[in-house]
Amino acid sequence: MSFNRMILPAVIASVLAAPFPAAAHARLVSATPGSGATVTAPRGISLTFSDRFAAPFSTVSVEDSRGRGVKLTKTVSEDGRTLGGSYEAPLPAGTYRVTWAIAAADGHRMTGTYSFTVR
């Protein structure tokens, strides 16, 4: 077997065995109010993600237990990792559902939902 025929399989094997970085997606790392939380008179909502997201393609909404949307003024932090907003009016007691969607910097669309209670 010639030297070239021995080298080519070794090169191919080493390339295939080389570790490649895993494609990590942005994930929700904290929320205020948090999932399952019971709070008193929240002034707004804040969702912090592990990576930056594209603000123009990212949303957050809050609905009451009847499915009625809560008016929310959307905000995005300067570092591009926190999506949130302030409520236009105080939230009355009840259960609320948060639905969010972000376009992560890696191009993947991430979505989620959770609930919290106002007493």
Side-chain angles (χ1 to χ4, degrees):
M1 187 178 259
S2 75
F3 181 74
N4 288 341
R5 287 188 180 173
M6 290 179 4
I7 292 295
L8 184 59
V11 169
I12 291 172
S14 66
V15 168
L16 292 176
F20 291 98
H25 302 303
R27 60 183 167 73
L28 182 63
V29 294
S30 69
T32 304
S35 177
T38 299
V39 297
T40 304
R43 295 177 174 222
I45 189 164
S46 177
L47 307 172
T48 301
F49 297 89
S50 59
D51 294 306
R52 293 178 60 89
F53 55 86
F57 307 107
S58 301
T59 61
V60 60
S61 63
V62 178
E63 295 178 342
D64 66 15
S65 60
R66 296 173 136 184
R68 296 178 297 199
V70 173
K71 291 187 179 186
L72 186 70
T73 303
K74 180 180 163 182
T75 59
V76 176
S77 64
E78 285 187 32
D79 68 1
R81 293 179 53 221
T82 302
L83 175 64
S86 55
Y87 304 118
E88 291 187 7
L91 297 181
T95 300
Y96 293 85
R97 177 181 165 137
V98 176
T99 302
W100 57 266
I102 62 165
D106 65 3
H108 288 89
R109 186 99 170 133
M110 307 300 290
T111 61
T113 186
Y114 71 90
S115 297
F116 68 91
T117 302
V118 175
R119 53 174 131 152

